[in-house]
């Protein structure tokens, strides 16, 4: 039986565990999950506490299989092409640290890359000959321009005698919160013979992924704890059968690893070596993995299904972002920008009314932008019990707001008024430098 959803504040108070005074407008960073999912996790943890060895050795493998089987249809892929890892960063590290990098190998990525992913590449460069090329993106930018820049960059690097081995990009960016043309970027990689690694941290439970298997990227990892309503930490790691031989070890290497041998290793229950390798990766709390079926059930029964969730989250993000911009007297990034699908997600990026020096206006120095953003963020936490994701872009400060089933227009109006007050305090010189 599906219950007609009551999104907004009724959902927040009846299903989630936020503090009464906390206003959660930044769902995208760490996610949130309903109380009923917490109860499911508590039950799994209780079983593990009661019989640790029995649960971990005998119960856990089958329960993980149930989660993989439950999530695969949402991606349009085979169950044995999906394993579970704690987070997207782990999946990205697993790919990048398994590939053998040789002289003249290059990874290309966009300047909007998640910071941890860029630092992973920098770390690998300390002990391998890997090279990287950063493709500059300034938002808003047309989808076709993003796709063109990837293809042109691959060609230019190859013309210089280098081997573009892999391209890394997102489905939905972290900052600014924007949908990328990941399907078209994947196609470019296929046509040009480049491996594609998609950091899809913000994808599952957020955008439609039923065509993932058809699109066919080489590596894809997405956090379930951000938008799918599982506890932290839980992510799906999709690697098509054709590429599973490239992943020789988990991060860290654990019991499922098998040295290269002419004799295929025997695995329990007829599982593939790839699936078996990820089944147990050191001693951690695996209970978030086991909550995937319950999260999917909640989304179906209580929320009305994936399309109902997407429609509400996208709509409230657009309307709430626009209302925030009206109160601040500013704009929503990309709201009227043709040729881009960047706003087809549950994020809204709103410019803050803090003036920075330009050719025709006096204001703060660009070098102070990050510090002003940090001050606004800190004051929002301490003065108003909310958290704001703020970043300085070349043309000023922007706040990223998340649309979610537990938010409604009044939440955006409330945060807009708080932001207006904080920006006025900045203009009056309250922010320290």
């Amino acid at each position: 039986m599906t219950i007609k959803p009551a999104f907004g504040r009724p959902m927040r108070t009846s299903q989630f565990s936020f503090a009464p005074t906390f206003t959660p407008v930044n769902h995208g960073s760490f996610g949130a999950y309903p109380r009923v999912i917490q109860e499911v996790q508590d039950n799994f943890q209780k079983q593990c506490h009661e019989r640790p060895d029995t649960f971990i050795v005998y119960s856990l493998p089958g329960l993980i299989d149930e989660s993989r089987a439950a999530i695969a249809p949402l991606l349009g892929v085979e169950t044995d092409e999906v394993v579970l890892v704690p987070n997207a960063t782990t999946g990205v590290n697993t790919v990048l640290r398994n590939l053998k990098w040789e002289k003249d190998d290059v990874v290309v990525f966009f300047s909007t890359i998640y910071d941890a992913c860029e630092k992973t590449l920098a770390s690998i460069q300390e002990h391998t000959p890997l090279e990287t090329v950063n493709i500059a993106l300034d938002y808003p930018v047309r989808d076709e321009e993003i796709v063109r820049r990837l293809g042109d960059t691959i060609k230019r690097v190859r013309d210089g005698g280098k081997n573009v081995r892999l391209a890394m990009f997102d489905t939905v960016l972290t900052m600014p919160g924007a949908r990328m043309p990941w399907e078209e970027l994947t196609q470019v990689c296929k046509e040009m013979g480049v491996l594609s690694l998609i950091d899809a941290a913000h994808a599952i439970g957020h955008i439609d992924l039923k065509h993932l298997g058809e699109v066919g990227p080489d590596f894809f990892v997405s956090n379930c704890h951000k938008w799918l309503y599982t506890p932290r930490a839980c992510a799906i790691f999709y690697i098509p059968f054709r590429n599973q031989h490239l992943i020789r070890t988990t991060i860290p290497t654990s019991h499922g690893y098998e040295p290269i041998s002419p004799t295929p290793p025997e695995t329990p229950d007829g599982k593939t070596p790839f699936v078996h390798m990820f089944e147990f990766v050191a001693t951690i709390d695996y209970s978030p993995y086991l909550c995937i079926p319950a999260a999917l059930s909640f989304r179906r029964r209580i929320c009305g299904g994936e399309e109902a969730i997407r429609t509400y989250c996208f709509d409230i993000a657009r309307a709430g972002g626009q209302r925030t911009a009206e109160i601040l007297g500013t704009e929503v990034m990309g709201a009227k920008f043709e040729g881009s699908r960047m706003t087809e997600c549950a994020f809204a990026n709103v410019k803050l009314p803090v003036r920075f020096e330009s050719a025709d206006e006096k204001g703060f120095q660009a070098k102070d932008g990050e510090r002003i953003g940090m001050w606004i963020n800190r004051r929002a936490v301490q003065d108003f019990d909310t958290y704001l994701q703020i970043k300085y872009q070349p043309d000023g400060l922007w706040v990223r707001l998340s649309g979610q089933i537990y938010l409604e227009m009044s939440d955006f109006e409330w945060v807009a008024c708080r932001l207006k007050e904080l920006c006025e305090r900045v203009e009056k010189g309250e922010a320290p430098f």
Side-chain angles (χ1 to χ4, degrees):
M1 175 181 177
T2 299
I3 301 173
K4 185 177 181 180
F7 292 143
R9 282 187 180 271
M11 183 68 73
R12 187 149 97 223
T13 55
S14 67
Q15 302 293 340
F16 290 83
S17 300
F18 298 112
T21 60
F22 183 69
T23 305
V25 292
N26 183 43
H27 181 97
S29 286
F30 303 108
Y33 53 100
R35 283 192 293 270
V36 66
I37 308 302
Q38 179 66 68
E39 292 169 2
V40 171
Q41 182 185 30
D42 290 346
N43 180 57
F44 283 126
Q45 290 177 330
K46 181 174 182 290
Q47 294 179 50
C48 189
H49 294 330
E50 291 174 341
R51 296 177 178 83
D53 310 83
T54 305
F55 183 83
I56 293 171
V57 175
Y58 291 107
S59 301
L60 184 62
L63 291 168
I64 288 178
D65 287 345
E66 290 177 15
S67 290
R68 295 191 303 109
I71 204 67
L74 205 64
L75 309 171
V77 302
E78 296 292 330
T79 298
D80 284 352
E81 293 179 301
V82 180
V83 292
L84 302 174
V85 293
N87 46 58
T89 302
T90 299
V92 167
N93 270 262
T94 301
V95 173
L96 294 177
R97 297 185 187 280
N98 267 276
L99 296 179
K100 184 179 179 181
W101 304 106
E102 299 178 351
K103 187 178 184 298
D104 293 331
D105 278 353
V106 175
V107 170
V108 298
F109 61 88
F110 293 97
S111 59
T112 47
I113 188 174
Y114 185 58
D115 187 53
C117 295
E118 186 170 11
K119 289 188 174 182
T120 299
L121 288 168
S123 170
I124 292 171
Q125 286 181 278
E126 290 184 358
H127 56 86
T128 75
L130 176 66
E131 300 177 43
T132 60
V133 172
N134 188 329
I135 306 171
L137 285 184
D138 291 322
Y139 270 80
V141 58
R142 289 178 174 81
D143 288 355
E144 64 180 20
E145 177 65 13
I146 298 173
V147 175
R148 183 190 67 78
R149 289 188 193 183
L150 177 62
D152 287 354
T153 299
I154 293 172
K155 183 178 184 304
R156 174 174 56 81
V157 173
R158 283 179 171 170
D159 288 346
K162 303 293 184 179
N163 174 39
V164 180
R165 184 93 178 277
L166 180 143
M168 183 157 52
F169 46 89
D170 300 67
T171 49
V172 179
L173 296 173
T174 294
M175 286 296 287
R179 190 192 192 282
M180 286 196 84
W182 62 278
E183 298 97 333
E184 292 87 348
L185 293 170
T186 300
Q187 185 60 33
V188 169
C189 291
K190 285 184 175 182
E191 293 172 356
M192 302 188 76
V194 173
L195 291 171
S196 54
L197 168 54
I198 303 184
D199 172 16
H202 291 282
I204 195 162
H206 185 174
I207 61 174
D208 188 2
L209 293 175
K210 289 194 300 293
H211 59 316
L212 176 63
E214 180 182 342
V215 176
D218 291 297
F219 309 100
F220 182 100
V221 59
S222 186
N223 290 327
C224 299
H225 56 253
K226 282 187 182 289
W227 297 91
L228 198 72
Y229 309 147
T230 71
R232 307 168 202 95
C234 175
I236 58 99
F237 190 24
Y238 161 71
I239 300 182
F241 292 123
R242 68 179 185 273
N243 289 332
Q244 292 180 2
H245 69 283
L246 296 173
I247 304 301
R248 294 284 306 125
T249 179
T250 55
I251 303 294
T253 299
S254 194
H255 296 284
Y257 169 75
E258 292 288 346
I260 295 176
S261 169
T263 305
E266 293 186 7
T267 56
D269 303 321
K271 293 181 180 179
T272 67
F274 174 76
V275 168
H276 176 62
M277 184 167 61
F278 283 88
E279 197 166 71
F280 181 88
V281 183
T283 302
I284 62 171
D285 179 9
Y286 288 91
S287 63
Y289 295 7
L290 313 184
C291 294
I292 288 176
L296 294 175
S297 176
F298 172 85
R299 296 168 71 84
R300 184 174 57 254
R301 292 187 305 103
I302 306 301
C303 303
E306 298 300 316
E307 184 61 32
I309 294 171
R310 268 196 304 274
T311 298
Y312 185 85
C313 291
F314 285 21
D315 288 350
I316 194 64
R318 291 193 190 96
Q322 186 58 46
R323 181 62 181 138
T324 301
E326 290 172 0
I327 292 172
L328 294 177
T330 59
E331 62 180 305
V332 176
M333 184 184 293
K336 300 179 180 179
F337 192 76
E338 295 182 0
S340 171
R341 297 175 63 191
M342 66 169 290
T343 61
E344 293 182 14
C345 64
F347 283 133
N349 306 281
V350 182
K351 193 171 187 179
L352 299 185
V354 176
R355 294 170 299 142
F356 288 87
E357 282 198 354
S358 62
D360 55 359
E361 186 175 21
K362 291 186 177 181
F364 293 100
Q365 297 292 315
K367 64 180 179 63
D368 296 324
E370 289 296 334
R371 284 185 291 173
I372 294 173
M374 291 173 62
W375 181 87
I376 294 174
N377 177 287
R378 186 168 58 251
R379 293 267 50 96
V381 170
Q382 296 178 356
D383 297 353
F384 305 119
D385 198 14
T386 191
Y387 188 95
L388 301 172
Q389 194 70 25
I390 298 171
K391 186 173 178 62
Y392 180 78
Q393 304 281 356
D395 61 342
L397 281 170
W398 295 78
V399 61
R400 186 198 72 189
L401 302 173
S402 301
Q404 196 43 252
I405 60 172
Y406 51 70
L407 294 173
E408 56 190 38
M409 186 61 71
S410 62
D411 295 306
F412 288 87
E413 292 174 336
W414 178 88
V415 80
C417 292
R418 306 292 85 74
L419 277 166
K420 186 174 183 179
E421 176 186 331
L422 290 170
C423 291
E424 289 172 351
R425 288 163 65 178
V426 169
E427 293 283 353
K428 293 177 181 176
E430 187 173 336
F433 296 102

